[in-house]
């Protein structure tokens, strides 16, 4: 489904409202022409034809450089999403990597695996909710 409105797309994917101001800042800086729902994220198509942003519950990926991520999102936690593509991601205030769901100011991480692709905590079933990566063995 295609959306012209960021708010409608974020509502449809149940992205926490606590993350909306940061996401809005990012999309305004980047310049987005439209939004499309994917299986577990909102795809934001850039106006300039560069790689799409992928807006997940707890992070946004698709920045072309670390500097672009900083310029768009400010001084937030960021990482290179995939060494092959060179794209970067930033962490939202409300996310699933922090104990209690994040957004509560606590930085204590759970004692469990972290997906090497998404950098999110893997649930107890050892399968990443975001990309499907499966932790083998004891981890």
């Amino acid at each position: 489904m295609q959306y012209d409105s960021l708010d409608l797309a974020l509502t449809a994917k149940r992205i926490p409202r606590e993350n909306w101001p940061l996401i809005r800042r990012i999309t305004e800086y980047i310049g987005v022409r439209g939004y499309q729902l994917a299986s577990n994220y909102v795809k934001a198509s850039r106006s300039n034809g560069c790689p799409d942003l992928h807006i997940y519950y707890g992070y946004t990926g698709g920045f072309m450089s670390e500097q672009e991520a900083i310029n768009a999102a400010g001084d937030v936690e960021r990482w290179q999403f995939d060494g092959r593509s060179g794209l970067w991601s930033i962490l939202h205030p409300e996310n699933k990597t922090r104990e209690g769901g994040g957004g509560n100011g606590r930085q204590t991480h759970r004692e469990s695996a972290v997906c090497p692709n998404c950098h999110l905590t893997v649930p107890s079933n050892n399968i990443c909710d975001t990309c499907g990566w499966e932790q083998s063995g004891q981890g």
Side-chain angles (χ1 to χ4, degrees), residues 73-107:
D75 189 21
V76 298
E77 187 176 334
R78 60 197 171 277
W79 64 91
Q80 194 166 19
F81 185 73
D82 178 348
R84 293 169 293 177
S85 70
L87 297 177
W88 285 76
S89 297
I90 61 94
L91 192 65
H92 296 160
E94 177 70 24
N95 59 72
K96 295 179 181 178
T97 64
R98 296 188 186 123
E99 189 173 315
N104 56 14
R106 296 189 301 180
Q107 298 290 322

Side-chain angles (χ1 to χ4, degrees), residues 13-69:
K13 273 297 172 196
R14 296 187 178 125
I15 305 293
R17 287 194 180 268
E18 294 84 0
N19 296 337
W20 289 24
L22 176 60
I23 295 167
R24 189 169 285 110
R25 175 181 169 178
I26 291 167
T27 57
E28 288 173 0
Y29 176 83
I30 295 295
V32 173
R33 62 181 159 85
Y35 305 91
Q36 185 176 1
L37 299 186
S39 61
N40 53 357
Y41 62 91
V42 174
K43 180 169 76 171
S45 300
R46 292 182 190 233
S47 300
N48 63 5
C50 290
D52 298 326
L53 295 177
H54 292 185
I55 304 168
Y56 292 89
Y57 177 99
Y59 72 99
T60 296
F63 298 97
M64 297 185 330
S65 67
E66 182 176 22
Q67 190 59 54
E68 182 183 55

Side-chain angles (χ1 to χ4, degrees), residues 112-113 121-130 132-137:
S112 60
T121 302
V122 177
S124 60
N125 68 1
N126 290 328
I127 300 172
C128 178
D129 287 337
T130 302
W133 173 81
E134 187 169 351
Q135 178 184 11
S136 60

Side-chain angles (χ1 to χ4, degrees), residues 2-9 32-35:
Q2 196 75 21
Y3 291 90
D4 292 328
S5 163
L6 174 62
D7 290 357
L8 290 175
V32 173
R33 62 181 159 85
Y35 305 91

